[in-house]
């Protein structure tokens, strides 16, 4: 994400109460998982007090009409339709919420599952089996699903490391000092039977937020990227695709200066949020290193595009942005896109964007790869204000204040999706 809005961990005392309640329930018998709907994401800043999410179908129609999909935007017979998904949380709770999000969208098929490896220490970046196996299980339930995994290139990735230290670390990486960590990650992904994972490596490298940023030494950064890709591709059985994903615009350094070359890049992505304040979508398209530059650059290099992160931000509940971004993706057919769904960006876990939520839901309600509908609002029966728990999921009574913090009831799954 852009440097104005770093992801920060959120620690709350309510976690202790929830953990105690869950532990007590687990003691009563074996279960396979715990699920909860609509809790805030720890990668976001601490949210303001929760606002109840309005029922989208009960809201007035969007102020800006959605365009109908043109004939050129339909998927040709035999060609794989673009995958879409949503980021709901990094750990197992993100997997547990995906069926609820799909239910909210009228059963729309979420083919892209998106998560992030923590970047605190190298052992996190190596990808623990406990972290990865729930995502691997989801991916392998259906052959056409896609696992998208953001992978930091350095430990202490959000700890404000100085440019001088970043420069030194990049040169160490370019010399091969960190290769073994990425070999471990690749071996674990192959062992978990997700050898075709999309690796969003060193994302938003053109900014100032992350220790894996490019600006302090672009040449060393590109060499380091190529070493990582070479190392991971050397693992038998791998089929990884590597996604080069800057943030939209110039940011700290033009992202084209960081491009490591066609041989080590499979997809050219872009993280694109509705910012800065006052910038129209047309300006986001036309700005230097913006959306149009991204599409043109990828075409010139023969690569598909993606949008691993996108959503609302500095301009609030901006229906025009939501309408325009959906239409842009309908036209340009990214390999996949995943909406960031926590405040202030989201449409399901965030109650601050009711009009954009209504538009997003109307556009994608019931969408399947076999028959993508036009981007026009479709009337649907009013759903309950809170999604029902999945089948075989037993709600726990944690008390109203804990449930208010979680954004819903905690439940135990005996079949674990």
């Amino acid at each position: 994400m852009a440097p104005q809005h770093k992801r920060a961990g959120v620690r709350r005392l309510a976690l202790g109460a929830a953990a105690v309640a869950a532990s007590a329930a687990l003691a009563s018998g074996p279960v396979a998982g715990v699920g909860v709907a609509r809790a805030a994401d720890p990668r976001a800043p601490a949210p303001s007090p929760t606002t109840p999410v309005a029922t989208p179908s009960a809201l007035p129609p969007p102020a800006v009409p959605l365009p109908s999909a043109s004939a050129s935007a339909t998927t040709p017979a035999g060609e794989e339709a673009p995958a879409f998904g949503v980021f709901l949380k990094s750990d197992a709770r993100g997997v547990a919420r995906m069926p609820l999000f799909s239910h909210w969208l009228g059963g729309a098929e979420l083919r892209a599952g998106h998560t992030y490896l923590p970047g605190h220490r190298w052992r996190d970046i190596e990808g623990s089996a406990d972290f990865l196996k729930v995502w691997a299980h989801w991916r392998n339930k259906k052959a056409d699903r896609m696992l998208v995994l953001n992978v930091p290139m350095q430990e202490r990735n959000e700890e404000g490391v100085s440019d001088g230290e970043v420069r030194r670390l990049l040169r160490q990486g370019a010399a091969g000092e960190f290769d073994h960590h990425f070999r471990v990650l690749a071996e674990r992904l192959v062992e978990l039977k997700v050898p075709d994972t999309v690796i969003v490596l060193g994302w938003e490298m053109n900014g100032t937020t992350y220790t894996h940023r490019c600006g302090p030494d672009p040449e060393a950064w590109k060499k380091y990227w190529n070493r990582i890709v070479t190392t991971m591709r050397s693992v038998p059985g791998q089929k990884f695709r590597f996604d080069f994903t800057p943030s939209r615009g110039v940011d700290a350094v033009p992202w084209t200066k960081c491009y490591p070359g066609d041989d080590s890049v499979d997809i050219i992505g872009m993280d694109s949020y509705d910012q800065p304040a006052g910038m129209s979508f047309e300006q986001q398209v036309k700005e230097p290193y913006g959306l149009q530059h991204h599409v043109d650059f990828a075409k010139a290099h023969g690569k598909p595009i993606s949008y691993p992160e996108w959503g609302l931000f500095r301009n609030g509940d901006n229906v025009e942005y939501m309408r325009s971004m959906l239409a842009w993706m309908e036209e340009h057919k990214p390999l996949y896109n995943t909406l960031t769904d926590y405040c202030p960006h989201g449409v399901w876990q965030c109650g601050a964007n009711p009009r954009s939520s209504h538009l997003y839901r109307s556009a994608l309600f019931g969408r399947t790869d076999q028959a993508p509908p036009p981007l026009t609002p479709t009337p649907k029966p009013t759903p309950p204000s809170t999604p029902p728990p999945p089948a075989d999921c037993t709600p726990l009574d944690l008390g109203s204040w804990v449930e208010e913090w979680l954004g819903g009831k905690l439940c135990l799954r005996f079949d674990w999706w």
Side-chain angles (χ1 to χ4, degrees):
M1 178 168 297
Q4 303 97 313
H5 192 217
K6 295 181 182 180
R7 297 181 183 92
V10 175
R11 295 180 175 87
R12 296 177 180 268
L13 292 175
L15 284 174
V20 170
S23 298
L26 288 168
S28 64
V31 297
V34 178
V36 61
R38 304 194 184 196
D41 177 64
R43 295 164 53 247
S48 55
T50 303
T51 302
V53 179
T55 302
S57 58
L59 295 169
V64 181
L66 287 166
S68 296
S70 65
S72 62
T74 59
T75 303
E79 182 178 322
E80 184 179 58
F84 83 95
V86 60
F87 174 76
L88 296 165
K89 198 170 181 67
S90 291
D91 60 18
R93 288 168 290 183
V95 180
R97 292 172 190 172
M98 289 176 73
L100 298 175
F101 191 87
S102 178
H103 173 80
W104 179 71
L105 285 180
E109 179 72 15
L110 303 180
R111 285 183 48 230
H114 188 191
T115 190
Y116 298 73
L117 287 176
H120 307 300
R121 295 293 178 264
W122 281 115
R123 63 178 176 271
D124 302 316
I125 298 170
E126 290 175 351
S128 73
D130 287 342
F131 182 93
L132 290 170
K133 65 184 178 182
V134 293
W135 289 98
H137 182 79
W138 175 86
R139 159 65 184 92
N140 288 320
K141 278 284 190 178
K142 289 189 177 180
D144 64 348
R145 285 178 174 174
M146 175 187 302
L147 176 58
V148 178
L149 181 66
N150 277 47
V151 176
M153 294 168 68
Q154 292 288 352
E155 65 176 356
R156 299 181 292 146
N157 201 36
E158 296 185 47
E159 296 183 15
V161 176
S162 70
D163 280 356
E165 178 72 357
V166 168
R167 188 177 300 111
R168 183 181 69 82
L169 291 169
L170 289 175
R171 291 172 182 176
Q172 285 181 294
E177 292 191 28
F178 309 128
D179 288 1
H180 59 287
H181 299 297
F182 296 97
R183 185 174 294 107
V184 170
L185 172 61
E187 289 170 348
R188 285 177 174 168
L189 291 169
V190 171
E191 183 180 355
L192 288 167
K193 298 183 173 29
V194 282
D196 57 353
T197 298
V198 173
I199 306 292
V200 186
L201 181 64
W203 70 100
E204 299 180 9
M205 76 300 293
N206 57 323
T208 61
T209 301
Y210 300 113
T211 305
H212 64 220
R213 61 189 181 270
C214 164
D217 193 336
E219 292 306 312
W221 192 92
K222 289 185 282 189
K223 290 178 183 177
Y224 183 28
W225 166 289
N226 287 328
R227 283 205 70 102
I228 294 170
V229 172
T230 299
T231 297
M232 295 186 71
R233 284 179 175 169
S234 71
V235 172
Q238 68 80 32
K239 301 175 184 177
F240 303 125
R241 286 180 286 181
F242 290 88
D243 191 330
F244 171 83
T245 297
S247 56
R248 196 198 74 241
V250 175
D251 214 329
V253 60
W255 50 262
T256 54
K257 289 187 176 181
C258 308
Y259 187 68
D262 291 346
D263 290 345
S264 61
V265 173
D266 300 294
I267 305 161
I268 299 177
M270 178 163 279
D271 289 351
S272 186
Y273 291 91
D274 185 23
Q275 65 168 341
M279 177 177 275
S280 69
F281 187 82
E282 182 179 6
Q283 290 172 309
Q284 294 177 27
V285 171
K286 294 181 178 179
E287 70 174 324
Y289 306 99
L291 290 170
Q292 188 62 57
H293 192 161
H294 169 230
V295 168
D296 294 344
F297 186 89
K299 184 177 180 180
H301 289 263
K303 307 294 182 182
I305 63 170
S306 70
Y307 297 100
E309 295 185 28
W310 69 278
L312 303 158
F313 197 7
R314 299 292 183 184
N315 296 298
D317 187 11
N318 187 353
V319 176
E320 172 61 20
Y321 167 82
M322 182 60 67
R323 181 198 69 80
S324 298
M325 192 64 183
L326 288 170
W328 179 264
M329 291 188 289
E330 191 74 14
E331 177 183 357
H332 293 286
K333 293 274 184 289
L335 181 67
Y336 70 91
N337 81 82
T338 48
L339 175 75
T340 300
D341 193 69
Y342 57 80
C343 280
H345 315 298
V347 295
W348 183 64
Q349 294 185 130
C350 180
N353 303 311
R355 294 169 70 246
S356 297
S357 173
H358 178 43
L359 190 150
Y360 179 90
R361 185 171 183 266
S362 298
L364 297 177
F365 198 96
R367 185 160 186 161
T368 66
D369 292 344
Q370 289 72 32
L375 282 175
T376 52
T378 304
K380 295 290 176 182
T382 302
S385 57
T386 301
D392 302 319
C393 190
T394 303
L396 296 177
D397 184 5
L398 303 179
S400 59
W401 71 273
V402 175
E403 290 173 1
E404 180 180 357
W405 175 83
L406 289 172
K409 285 185 176 293
L410 189 73
C411 63
L412 300 180
R413 292 288 302 265
F414 288 85
D415 61 348
W416 195 231
W417 68 85

